[in-house]
Short mmCIF file of all heavy atoms in Angstrom, two decimals:
data_model
loop_
_atom_site.label_atom_id
_atom_site.label_comp_id
_atom_site.label_asym_id
_atom_site.label_seq_id
_atom_site.Cartn_x
_atom_site.Cartn_y
_atom_site.Cartn_z
N MET A 126 0.87 -1.18 -0.05
CA MET A 126 0.00 0.06 -0.02
C MET A 126 0.84 1.25 -0.03
O MET A 126 2.02 1.18 0.42
CB MET A 126 -0.86 0.05 1.28
CG MET A 126 -0.18 0.34 2.46
SD MET A 126 -1.02 0.05 4.08
CE MET A 126 -0.63 -1.68 4.25
N ILE A 127 0.33 2.30 -0.49
CA ILE A 127 0.97 3.60 -0.39
C ILE A 127 0.20 4.45 0.58
O ILE A 127 -1.04 4.70 0.46
CB ILE A 127 1.02 4.31 -1.75
CG1 ILE A 127 1.89 3.47 -2.74
CG2 ILE A 127 1.77 5.64 -1.60
CD1 ILE A 127 1.88 3.97 -4.10
N GLU A 128 0.89 4.98 1.63
CA GLU A 128 0.17 5.67 2.69
C GLU A 128 0.86 7.04 2.85
O GLU A 128 2.10 7.15 2.81
CB GLU A 128 0.26 4.94 3.97
CG GLU A 128 -0.78 3.97 4.20
CD GLU A 128 -0.86 3.37 5.64
OE1 GLU A 128 0.19 3.39 6.27
OE2 GLU A 128 -1.93 3.06 6.08
N ARG A 129 0.08 8.02 3.10
CA ARG A 129 0.64 9.36 3.40
C ARG A 129 1.06 9.36 4.92
O ARG A 129 0.35 8.93 5.78
CB ARG A 129 -0.46 10.44 3.23
CG ARG A 129 0.18 11.76 3.34
CD ARG A 129 -0.73 12.86 2.82
NE ARG A 129 -0.02 14.09 2.86
CZ ARG A 129 -0.31 15.19 2.10
NH1 ARG A 129 -1.25 15.18 1.36
NH2 ARG A 129 0.40 16.23 2.25
N GLN A 130 2.27 9.87 5.05
CA GLN A 130 2.83 9.92 6.43
C GLN A 130 3.31 11.39 6.63
O GLN A 130 4.37 11.72 6.21
CB GLN A 130 4.03 9.00 6.69
CG GLN A 130 3.70 7.53 6.47
CD GLN A 130 2.88 6.93 7.68
OE1 GLN A 130 2.75 7.66 8.78
NE2 GLN A 130 2.44 5.77 7.51
N GLY A 131 2.40 12.20 7.21
CA GLY A 131 2.86 13.61 7.33
C GLY A 131 2.86 14.19 5.91
O GLY A 131 1.95 14.18 5.28
N ASN A 132 4.01 14.83 5.52
CA ASN A 132 4.13 15.36 4.23
C ASN A 132 4.97 14.52 3.32
O ASN A 132 5.44 14.91 2.25
CB ASN A 132 4.69 16.80 4.25
CG ASN A 132 6.04 16.86 4.91
OD1 ASN A 132 6.66 15.78 5.32
ND2 ASN A 132 6.60 18.05 5.20
N LYS A 133 5.10 13.20 3.62
CA LYS A 133 5.84 12.23 2.82
C LYS A 133 4.84 11.11 2.48
O LYS A 133 3.80 10.93 3.11
CB LYS A 133 7.01 11.65 3.51
CG LYS A 133 8.10 12.73 3.91
CD LYS A 133 9.28 12.51 3.01
CE LYS A 133 10.35 13.55 3.33
NZ LYS A 133 11.51 13.52 2.46
N TYR A 134 5.30 10.23 1.57
CA TYR A 134 4.49 9.10 1.24
C TYR A 134 5.32 7.84 1.55
O TYR A 134 6.55 7.84 1.25
CB TYR A 134 4.06 9.08 -0.22
CG TYR A 134 2.92 10.06 -0.47
CD1 TYR A 134 3.16 11.35 -0.71
CD2 TYR A 134 1.62 9.65 -0.37
CE1 TYR A 134 2.16 12.24 -0.87
CE2 TYR A 134 0.43 10.50 -0.58
CZ TYR A 134 0.85 11.84 -0.87
OH TYR A 134 -0.19 12.73 -0.99
N GLU A 135 4.61 6.89 2.04
CA GLU A 135 5.33 5.58 2.40
C GLU A 135 4.78 4.40 1.56
O GLU A 135 3.53 4.22 1.50
CB GLU A 135 5.11 5.24 3.87
CG GLU A 135 5.69 3.95 4.35
CD GLU A 135 5.45 3.78 5.80
OE1 GLU A 135 5.97 4.56 6.63
OE2 GLU A 135 4.71 2.79 6.17
N LEU A 136 5.65 3.66 0.92
CA LEU A 136 5.27 2.43 0.16
C LEU A 136 5.55 1.23 0.97
O LEU A 136 6.72 1.10 1.48
CB LEU A 136 6.04 2.37 -1.17
CG LEU A 136 5.94 1.06 -2.00
CD1 LEU A 136 4.47 0.88 -2.47
CD2 LEU A 136 6.89 1.13 -3.17
N GLN A 137 4.52 0.43 1.33
CA GLN A 137 4.80 -0.76 2.10
C GLN A 137 4.28 -1.92 1.46
O GLN A 137 3.13 -1.95 0.92
CB GLN A 137 4.08 -0.53 3.48
CG GLN A 137 4.20 -1.82 4.32
CD GLN A 137 3.99 -1.50 5.84
OE1 GLN A 137 3.57 -0.46 6.21
NE2 GLN A 137 4.35 -2.51 6.65
N CYS A 138 5.08 -3.02 1.54
CA CYS A 138 4.65 -4.30 0.92
C CYS A 138 3.53 -4.82 1.90
O CYS A 138 3.72 -4.82 3.12
CB CYS A 138 5.84 -5.27 0.86
SG CYS A 138 5.34 -6.95 0.30
N ASP A 139 2.45 -5.34 1.33
CA ASP A 139 1.39 -5.95 2.05
C ASP A 139 1.65 -7.40 2.42
O ASP A 139 0.74 -8.01 3.05
CB ASP A 139 0.08 -5.82 1.34
CG ASP A 139 -0.37 -4.36 1.20
OD1 ASP A 139 -0.69 -3.71 2.20
OD2 ASP A 139 -0.29 -3.85 0.06
N TYR A 140 2.79 -7.98 2.02
CA TYR A 140 3.04 -9.39 2.24
C TYR A 140 4.27 -9.59 3.16
O TYR A 140 4.54 -10.68 3.58
CB TYR A 140 3.26 -10.06 0.85
CG TYR A 140 2.05 -9.95 -0.02
CD1 TYR A 140 1.80 -8.77 -0.70
CD2 TYR A 140 1.08 -10.93 -0.08
CE1 TYR A 140 0.71 -8.69 -1.54
CE2 TYR A 140 0.00 -10.94 -0.79
CZ TYR A 140 -0.27 -9.70 -1.55
OH TYR A 140 -1.44 -9.63 -2.27
N CYS A 141 5.02 -8.52 3.44
CA CYS A 141 6.11 -8.59 4.38
C CYS A 141 6.28 -7.17 4.96
O CYS A 141 5.47 -6.32 4.72
CB CYS A 141 7.38 -9.14 3.71
SG CYS A 141 8.18 -7.89 2.63
N SER A 142 7.36 -7.04 5.73
CA SER A 142 7.51 -5.72 6.47
C SER A 142 8.39 -4.74 5.63
O SER A 142 8.72 -3.72 6.17
CB SER A 142 8.11 -5.94 7.81
OG SER A 142 9.34 -6.73 7.70
N ASN A 143 8.66 -5.04 4.38
CA ASN A 143 9.49 -4.21 3.51
C ASN A 143 8.77 -2.90 3.23
O ASN A 143 7.62 -2.87 2.81
CB ASN A 143 9.79 -5.00 2.21
CG ASN A 143 10.76 -4.35 1.45
OD1 ASN A 143 11.54 -3.42 1.86
ND2 ASN A 143 10.92 -4.84 0.16
N TYR A 144 9.40 -1.80 3.49
CA TYR A 144 8.83 -0.49 3.15
C TYR A 144 9.91 0.52 2.85
O TYR A 144 11.07 0.40 3.24
CB TYR A 144 7.91 -0.07 4.22
CG TYR A 144 8.66 0.51 5.47
CD1 TYR A 144 8.91 1.90 5.64
CD2 TYR A 144 9.11 -0.41 6.43
CE1 TYR A 144 9.57 2.35 6.75
CE2 TYR A 144 9.79 0.13 7.53
CZ TYR A 144 10.04 1.41 7.72
OH TYR A 144 10.70 1.86 8.80
N ILE A 145 9.51 1.54 2.10
CA ILE A 145 10.33 2.62 1.81
C ILE A 145 9.51 3.91 2.17
O ILE A 145 8.28 3.99 1.71
CB ILE A 145 10.73 2.73 0.31
CG1 ILE A 145 11.40 1.53 -0.13
CG2 ILE A 145 11.61 3.92 0.04
CD1 ILE A 145 10.50 0.43 -0.79
N ASP A 146 9.96 4.78 2.93
CA ASP A 146 9.18 5.94 3.47
C ASP A 146 9.81 7.25 3.07
O ASP A 146 9.51 8.25 3.86
CB ASP A 146 9.04 5.76 4.95
CG ASP A 146 10.36 6.02 5.68
OD1 ASP A 146 11.41 6.10 5.02
OD2 ASP A 146 10.40 6.02 6.96
N ASP A 147 10.30 7.35 1.92
CA ASP A 147 11.00 8.65 1.63
C ASP A 147 10.53 9.27 0.24
O ASP A 147 11.36 9.74 -0.54
CB ASP A 147 12.47 8.53 1.62
CG ASP A 147 13.20 9.79 1.72
OD1 ASP A 147 12.71 10.73 2.23
OD2 ASP A 147 14.31 9.85 1.18
N PHE A 148 9.22 9.17 -0.05
CA PHE A 148 8.70 9.67 -1.30
C PHE A 148 8.03 11.05 -1.06
O PHE A 148 7.34 11.32 -0.11
CB PHE A 148 7.65 8.71 -1.85
CG PHE A 148 8.27 7.41 -2.22
CD1 PHE A 148 7.89 6.35 -1.43
CD2 PHE A 148 9.14 7.28 -3.19
CE1 PHE A 148 8.40 5.03 -1.72
CE2 PHE A 148 9.71 6.00 -3.57
CZ PHE A 148 9.31 4.90 -2.75
N GLU A 149 8.34 11.94 -2.06
CA GLU A 149 7.85 13.35 -1.96
C GLU A 149 6.36 13.39 -2.38
O GLU A 149 5.60 14.22 -1.79
CB GLU A 149 8.63 14.31 -2.88
CG GLU A 149 10.09 14.45 -2.48
CD GLU A 149 10.26 15.24 -1.20
OE1 GLU A 149 9.44 16.13 -0.92
OE2 GLU A 149 11.23 14.90 -0.46
N ASP A 150 5.94 12.57 -3.22
CA ASP A 150 4.53 12.51 -3.65
C ASP A 150 4.14 11.11 -4.05
O ASP A 150 4.96 10.21 -4.21
CB ASP A 150 4.24 13.61 -4.77
CG ASP A 150 5.10 13.35 -5.98
OD1 ASP A 150 5.27 12.18 -6.35
OD2 ASP A 150 5.57 14.36 -6.53
N PHE A 151 2.87 10.95 -4.24
CA PHE A 151 2.23 9.60 -4.62
C PHE A 151 2.87 9.08 -5.84
O PHE A 151 3.19 7.88 -5.85
CB PHE A 151 0.71 9.86 -4.72
CG PHE A 151 -0.06 8.55 -4.80
CD1 PHE A 151 -0.47 7.84 -3.62
CD2 PHE A 151 -0.35 7.97 -6.05
CE1 PHE A 151 -1.18 6.74 -3.78
CE2 PHE A 151 -1.03 6.78 -6.14
CZ PHE A 151 -1.46 6.14 -5.03
N GLN A 152 2.92 9.87 -6.89
CA GLN A 152 3.42 9.43 -8.15
C GLN A 152 4.88 8.87 -8.02
O GLN A 152 5.20 7.89 -8.70
CB GLN A 152 3.40 10.54 -9.17
CG GLN A 152 3.74 10.12 -10.63
CD GLN A 152 2.79 9.00 -11.15
OE1 GLN A 152 1.54 9.06 -10.94
NE2 GLN A 152 3.32 7.98 -11.73
N GLU A 153 5.65 9.45 -7.18
CA GLU A 153 7.07 9.04 -7.01
C GLU A 153 7.05 7.57 -6.46
O GLU A 153 7.82 6.74 -6.92
CB GLU A 153 7.79 9.94 -6.05
CG GLU A 153 9.29 9.74 -6.10
CD GLU A 153 9.94 10.73 -5.17
OE1 GLU A 153 9.45 11.88 -4.95
OE2 GLU A 153 11.05 10.39 -4.57
N ALA A 154 6.14 7.25 -5.58
CA ALA A 154 6.04 5.91 -5.08
C ALA A 154 5.59 5.00 -6.15
O ALA A 154 6.00 3.78 -6.17
CB ALA A 154 5.05 5.89 -3.85
N VAL A 155 4.64 5.36 -6.97
CA VAL A 155 4.13 4.55 -8.10
C VAL A 155 5.21 4.23 -9.04
O VAL A 155 5.43 3.10 -9.47
CB VAL A 155 2.92 5.22 -8.83
CG1 VAL A 155 2.56 4.48 -10.02
CG2 VAL A 155 1.75 5.32 -7.87
N ASP A 156 6.12 5.30 -9.37
CA ASP A 156 7.21 5.05 -10.28
C ASP A 156 8.20 4.07 -9.69
O ASP A 156 8.82 3.26 -10.40
CB ASP A 156 7.84 6.44 -10.58
CG ASP A 156 6.97 7.31 -11.43
OD1 ASP A 156 6.02 6.80 -11.98
OD2 ASP A 156 7.25 8.55 -11.47
N TYR A 157 8.41 4.21 -8.39
CA TYR A 157 9.32 3.28 -7.74
C TYR A 157 8.94 1.87 -7.84
O TYR A 157 9.62 0.96 -8.17
CB TYR A 157 9.47 3.63 -6.24
CG TYR A 157 10.38 2.70 -5.48
CD1 TYR A 157 11.76 3.01 -5.32
CD2 TYR A 157 9.97 1.49 -4.97
CE1 TYR A 157 12.63 2.20 -4.65
CE2 TYR A 157 10.81 0.63 -4.29
CZ TYR A 157 12.19 0.97 -4.17
OH TYR A 157 12.95 0.06 -3.44
N LYS A 158 7.61 1.64 -7.75
CA LYS A 158 7.06 0.27 -7.83
C LYS A 158 7.34 -0.27 -9.24
O LYS A 158 7.77 -1.45 -9.37
CB LYS A 158 5.49 0.29 -7.70
CG LYS A 158 5.12 0.46 -6.22
CD LYS A 158 3.70 -0.01 -5.95
CE LYS A 158 2.62 0.77 -6.73
NZ LYS A 158 1.25 0.22 -6.53
N LYS A 159 7.12 0.54 -10.30
CA LYS A 159 7.30 0.08 -11.63
C LYS A 159 8.80 -0.21 -11.85
O LYS A 159 9.21 -1.25 -12.46
CB LYS A 159 6.91 1.13 -12.62
CG LYS A 159 5.30 1.32 -12.65
CD LYS A 159 5.02 2.40 -13.72
CE LYS A 159 3.58 2.71 -13.65
NZ LYS A 159 3.28 4.09 -14.34
N ALA A 160 9.69 0.66 -11.32
CA ALA A 160 11.09 0.56 -11.61
C ALA A 160 11.71 -0.64 -10.79
O ALA A 160 12.73 -1.13 -11.18
CB ALA A 160 11.75 1.83 -11.18
N ASN A 161 11.05 -1.04 -9.77
CA ASN A 161 11.61 -2.09 -8.92
C ASN A 161 10.80 -3.34 -8.86
O ASN A 161 10.93 -4.19 -7.93
CB ASN A 161 11.86 -1.51 -7.47
CG ASN A 161 12.90 -0.48 -7.40
OD1 ASN A 161 14.09 -0.78 -7.35
ND2 ASN A 161 12.57 0.76 -7.56
N ASN A 162 9.99 -3.54 -9.88
CA ASN A 162 9.28 -4.84 -10.09
C ASN A 162 8.31 -5.19 -8.99
O ASN A 162 8.18 -6.38 -8.62
CB ASN A 162 10.31 -5.96 -10.30
CG ASN A 162 11.07 -5.75 -11.55
OD1 ASN A 162 10.54 -5.42 -12.57
ND2 ASN A 162 12.38 -6.00 -11.45
N TRP A 163 7.76 -4.18 -8.32
CA TRP A 163 6.64 -4.39 -7.45
C TRP A 163 5.39 -4.69 -8.26
O TRP A 163 5.26 -4.26 -9.38
CB TRP A 163 6.33 -3.24 -6.45
CG TRP A 163 7.36 -3.08 -5.37
CD1 TRP A 163 8.72 -2.98 -5.50
CD2 TRP A 163 7.09 -2.90 -4.02
NE1 TRP A 163 9.33 -2.84 -4.31
CE2 TRP A 163 8.40 -2.67 -3.40
CE3 TRP A 163 5.94 -2.79 -3.24
CZ2 TRP A 163 8.45 -2.48 -2.04
CZ3 TRP A 163 6.04 -2.52 -1.87
CH2 TRP A 163 7.32 -2.36 -1.26
N LYS A 164 4.44 -5.42 -7.70
CA LYS A 164 3.16 -5.63 -8.40
C LYS A 164 1.99 -5.23 -7.54
O LYS A 164 1.99 -5.40 -6.36
CB LYS A 164 3.04 -7.12 -8.72
CG LYS A 164 3.85 -7.56 -9.96
CD LYS A 164 3.26 -8.85 -10.69
CE LYS A 164 3.80 -8.95 -12.02
NZ LYS A 164 5.17 -9.35 -12.11
N SER A 165 0.99 -4.64 -8.29
CA SER A 165 -0.25 -4.30 -7.55
C SER A 165 -1.20 -5.50 -7.83
O SER A 165 -1.49 -5.95 -8.91
CB SER A 165 -0.95 -3.09 -8.11
OG SER A 165 0.00 -2.01 -7.83
N ILE A 166 -1.76 -6.02 -6.72
CA ILE A 166 -2.61 -7.26 -6.80
C ILE A 166 -3.90 -6.96 -6.11
O ILE A 166 -3.97 -6.42 -5.01
CB ILE A 166 -1.95 -8.51 -6.17
CG1 ILE A 166 -0.56 -8.82 -6.82
CG2 ILE A 166 -2.82 -9.72 -6.10
CD1 ILE A 166 0.35 -9.70 -6.09
N SER A 167 -4.98 -7.18 -6.84
CA SER A 167 -6.39 -6.99 -6.28
C SER A 167 -6.88 -8.22 -5.55
O SER A 167 -6.90 -9.29 -6.15
CB SER A 167 -7.33 -6.62 -7.49
OG SER A 167 -8.59 -6.34 -6.92
N ILE A 168 -7.16 -8.02 -4.28
CA ILE A 168 -7.69 -9.09 -3.57
C ILE A 168 -9.03 -8.68 -2.95
O ILE A 168 -9.14 -7.80 -2.16
CB ILE A 168 -6.75 -9.57 -2.38
CG1 ILE A 168 -5.48 -10.13 -2.90
CG2 ILE A 168 -7.45 -10.61 -1.46
CD1 ILE A 168 -4.43 -10.41 -1.86
N ASN A 169 -10.09 -9.40 -3.43
CA ASN A 169 -11.50 -9.00 -3.00
C ASN A 169 -11.78 -7.57 -3.18
O ASN A 169 -12.32 -6.88 -2.32
CB ASN A 169 -11.76 -9.39 -1.53
CG ASN A 169 -11.58 -10.87 -1.33
OD1 ASN A 169 -11.93 -11.70 -2.18
ND2 ASN A 169 -11.10 -11.28 -0.14
N GLY A 170 -11.32 -6.94 -4.28
CA GLY A 170 -11.54 -5.59 -4.53
C GLY A 170 -10.63 -4.57 -3.92
O GLY A 170 -10.78 -3.43 -4.14
N GLU A 171 -9.72 -5.05 -3.07
CA GLU A 171 -8.76 -4.15 -2.37
C GLU A 171 -7.40 -4.31 -3.02
O GLU A 171 -6.95 -5.47 -3.23
CB GLU A 171 -8.61 -4.60 -0.89
CG GLU A 171 -9.90 -4.48 -0.10
CD GLU A 171 -9.94 -3.25 0.74
OE1 GLU A 171 -8.88 -2.63 1.03
OE2 GLU A 171 -11.02 -2.82 1.16
N TRP A 172 -6.80 -3.23 -3.39
CA TRP A 172 -5.46 -3.23 -3.97
C TRP A 172 -4.37 -3.42 -2.93
O TRP A 172 -4.32 -2.70 -2.00
CB TRP A 172 -5.30 -1.96 -4.80
CG TRP A 172 -6.07 -1.95 -6.13
CD1 TRP A 172 -7.16 -1.40 -6.31
CD2 TRP A 172 -5.65 -2.73 -7.29
NE1 TRP A 172 -7.61 -1.74 -7.64
CE2 TRP A 172 -6.74 -2.57 -8.23
CE3 TRP A 172 -4.60 -3.61 -7.65
CZ2 TRP A 172 -6.72 -3.06 -9.49
CZ3 TRP A 172 -4.62 -4.12 -8.95
CH2 TRP A 172 -5.63 -3.92 -9.85
N THR A 173 -3.50 -4.40 -3.15
CA THR A 173 -2.39 -4.62 -2.32
C THR A 173 -1.06 -4.49 -3.20
O THR A 173 -1.12 -4.64 -4.42
CB THR A 173 -2.33 -5.98 -1.74
OG1 THR A 173 -2.26 -7.02 -2.74
CG2 THR A 173 -3.64 -6.18 -0.94
N ASP A 174 0.00 -4.20 -2.56
CA ASP A 174 1.22 -4.07 -3.23
C ASP A 174 2.24 -5.16 -2.71
O ASP A 174 2.43 -5.39 -1.54
CB ASP A 174 1.94 -2.72 -2.95
CG ASP A 174 1.16 -1.55 -3.59
OD1 ASP A 174 0.80 -1.76 -4.82
OD2 ASP A 174 0.87 -0.53 -3.02
N LYS A 175 2.87 -5.80 -3.71
CA LYS A 175 3.76 -6.96 -3.43
C LYS A 175 5.17 -6.52 -3.90
O LYS A 175 5.39 -6.22 -5.07
CB LYS A 175 3.28 -8.15 -4.15
CG LYS A 175 3.90 -9.54 -3.62
CD LYS A 175 3.10 -10.63 -4.25
CE LYS A 175 3.41 -11.93 -3.55
NZ LYS A 175 2.69 -13.11 -3.99
N CYS A 176 6.13 -6.64 -3.07
CA CYS A 176 7.46 -6.25 -3.36
C CYS A 176 8.20 -7.38 -4.11
O CYS A 176 7.66 -8.53 -4.24
CB CYS A 176 8.35 -5.96 -2.13
SG CYS A 176 8.84 -7.31 -1.11
N SER A 177 9.29 -7.07 -4.86
CA SER A 177 9.93 -8.01 -5.68
C SER A 177 10.39 -9.27 -4.95
O SER A 177 10.41 -10.32 -5.44
CB SER A 177 11.12 -7.28 -6.38
OG SER A 177 11.99 -6.73 -5.48
N ASN A 178 10.84 -9.05 -3.65
CA ASN A 178 11.28 -10.14 -2.82
C ASN A 178 10.17 -11.20 -2.70
O ASN A 178 10.31 -12.44 -2.89
CB ASN A 178 11.69 -9.70 -1.42
CG ASN A 178 13.03 -9.05 -1.50
OD1 ASN A 178 13.82 -9.05 -2.43
ND2 ASN A 178 13.32 -8.27 -0.44
N CYS A 179 8.92 -10.70 -2.37
CA CYS A 179 7.83 -11.57 -2.13
C CYS A 179 7.40 -12.22 -3.52
O CYS A 179 7.03 -13.44 -3.57
CB CYS A 179 6.64 -10.88 -1.61
SG CYS A 179 6.92 -10.36 0.14
N ILE A 180 7.55 -11.54 -4.59
CA ILE A 180 7.22 -12.09 -5.98
C ILE A 180 8.15 -13.22 -6.22
O ILE A 180 7.77 -14.29 -6.71
CB ILE A 180 7.26 -11.01 -6.94
CG1 ILE A 180 6.14 -10.01 -6.79
CG2 ILE A 180 7.15 -11.59 -8.41
CD1 ILE A 180 6.21 -8.72 -7.59
N ASN A 181 9.52 -13.06 -5.94
CA ASN A 181 10.44 -14.00 -6.23
C ASN A 181 10.23 -15.32 -5.35
O ASN A 181 10.53 -16.43 -5.82
CB ASN A 181 11.81 -13.53 -5.93
CG ASN A 181 12.29 -12.45 -7.03
OD1 ASN A 181 11.75 -12.46 -8.14
ND2 ASN A 181 13.22 -11.59 -6.70
N GLU A 182 9.66 -15.13 -4.18
CA GLU A 182 9.41 -16.21 -3.32
C GLU A 182 8.08 -16.96 -3.72
O GLU A 182 7.68 -17.92 -3.09
CB GLU A 182 9.32 -15.79 -1.90
CG GLU A 182 10.66 -15.43 -1.27
CD GLU A 182 10.59 -14.70 0.10
OE1 GLU A 182 9.48 -14.72 0.54
OE2 GLU A 182 11.59 -14.22 0.46
N GLY A 183 7.39 -16.41 -4.66
CA GLY A 183 6.17 -17.05 -5.15
C GLY A 183 4.99 -16.49 -4.38
O GLY A 183 3.94 -17.16 -4.39
ZN1 ZN B 345 7.27 -8.12 0.43
#
């Protein structure tokens, strides 16, 4: 998920505790996901974010 934390945005994997909390805006976090092979996965209509480590583990 991408969450606003004060005036920064935090990208957190919904499958492990991996996170990056240093984004200036939402789009920067989205770009990071694309550049680092994160995937957005819809589960029961809720969007979750899966980091590349978790994808590699299946
Ligand atoms: Zn993960």
Side-chain angles (χ1 to χ4, degrees):
M126 74 193 86
I127 298 172
E128 274 191 331
R129 188 168 186 157
Q130 300 284 352
N132 57 4
K133 297 252 180 182
Y134 285 85
E135 176 180 297
L136 171 63
Q137 178 158 12
C138 177
D139 292 293
Y140 299 82
C141 73
S142 56
N143 192 11
Y144 74 98
I145 304 98
D146 65 353
D147 196 28
F148 299 109
E149 297 291 325
D150 58 42
F151 190 88
Q152 186 59 44
E153 194 177 330
V155 172
D156 289 344
Y157 179 94
K158 286 202 297 181
K159 287 182 194 161
N161 291 275
N162 298 318
W163 286 51
K164 280 205 163 72
S165 296
I166 299 166
S167 178
I168 296 177
N169 299 327
E171 300 257 342
W172 284 101
T173 64
D174 290 314
K175 195 169 192 177
C176 75
S177 55
N178 287 344
C179 289
I180 291 166
N181 289 338
E182 287 169 10

